[in-house]
Amino acid sequence: GVAATAHEPVEEAPAQEPQPAAAAAEIRAAKGPVEIRWPPERADRVLMLRLTSAQGALLPGRAVRLALEQAGLVHGPQRIYHRVADDGSVLVSAANMLRPGDLDPAVMDEQQFRGLSLFSVLPGAMSPVRMLEELVAVARAVAWRLGAVVQDEHGEELDGERLVKLRQSLPDEPEHGTA
């Protein structure tokens, strides 16, 4: 360890990496691939967040691919990335912010991206509030790795007030397909 000097407060810990709520990617990898169930049976609503560079710069493709994979997302249907529950249902998806939205791991290391769209389709594998929490956790984990900012679907930074309004717009009842 390094001894603290008078200039370095000991209480300050390094910024902790945010963790998605259901951090089961390592366990899932050990069990082998799960068949991703996409698209959902029905889509009543899509919760959408955006990730962009804080300075408006382009995001390097290799960093984007690694950030998505380290946050537990896998490449799958629709040529985009998905975070899936143990039963294969999609919790969160990530696409290129620009249409058609493709993220191809074979070529994205050489690409640059203006930003990412992260979204969850309701009803989902969890209650709407839990789906939102998972979406926000994944978005924050990927953004943390990229030095990016999380925005709402209108491009406004996702602050506490916007998150509260988004949560309040969700149905109260635990409306979802599977437990």
Side-chain angles (χ1 to χ4, degrees):
V2 178
T5 66
H7 304 293
E8 299 172 13
V10 178
E11 309 83 48
E12 269 186 43
Q16 286 298 310
E17 169 186 350
Q19 292 294 322
E26 298 81 13
I27 298 162
R28 195 174 306 110
K31 289 187 210 167
V34 170
E35 185 182 340
I36 298 173
R37 296 206 319 261
W38 179 268
E41 292 172 29
R42 66 181 227 259
D44 293 348
R45 180 167 174 197
V46 178
L47 300 174
M48 175 90 60
L49 295 176
R50 298 178 356 172
L51 293 186
T52 61
S53 165
Q55 298 79 29
L58 294 174
L59 300 169
R62 183 171 194 279
V64 169
R65 181 181 58 78
L66 291 173
L68 291 169
E69 291 170 357
Q70 290 163 351
L73 285 85
V74 293
H75 192 257
Q78 309 302 108
R79 297 192 302 280
I80 59 176
Y81 279 78
H82 306 279
R83 181 170 182 78
V84 292
D86 289 334
D87 69 355
S89 53
V90 173
L91 302 175
V92 177
S93 297
N96 185 345
M97 200 162 72
L98 302 179
R99 293 191 186 280
D102 296 5
L103 292 173
D104 182 349
V107 297
M108 63 189 287
D109 282 13
E110 285 75 46
Q111 296 175 313
Q112 293 187 323
F113 299 94
R114 180 142 326 277
L116 296 174
S117 294
L118 276 75
F119 58 95
S120 293
V121 178
L122 299 180
M126 299 186 265
S127 72
V129 169
R130 294 265 301 126
M131 291 290 284
L132 174 62
E133 288 169 352
E134 188 73 10
L135 174 63
V136 170
V138 169
R140 286 180 173 160
V142 173
W144 183 85
R145 287 181 167 90
L146 292 173
V149 292
V150 180
Q151 300 174 333
D152 67 11
E153 61 187 319
H154 307 293
E156 299 292 328
E157 191 158 348
L158 186 70
D159 57 15
E161 184 181 333
R162 282 190 178 74
L163 188 53
V164 166
K165 284 183 181 165
L166 190 52
R167 183 172 278 134
Q168 288 171 343
S169 75
L170 297 174
D172 287 334
E173 70 279 0
E175 169 196 323
H176 52 85
T178 58

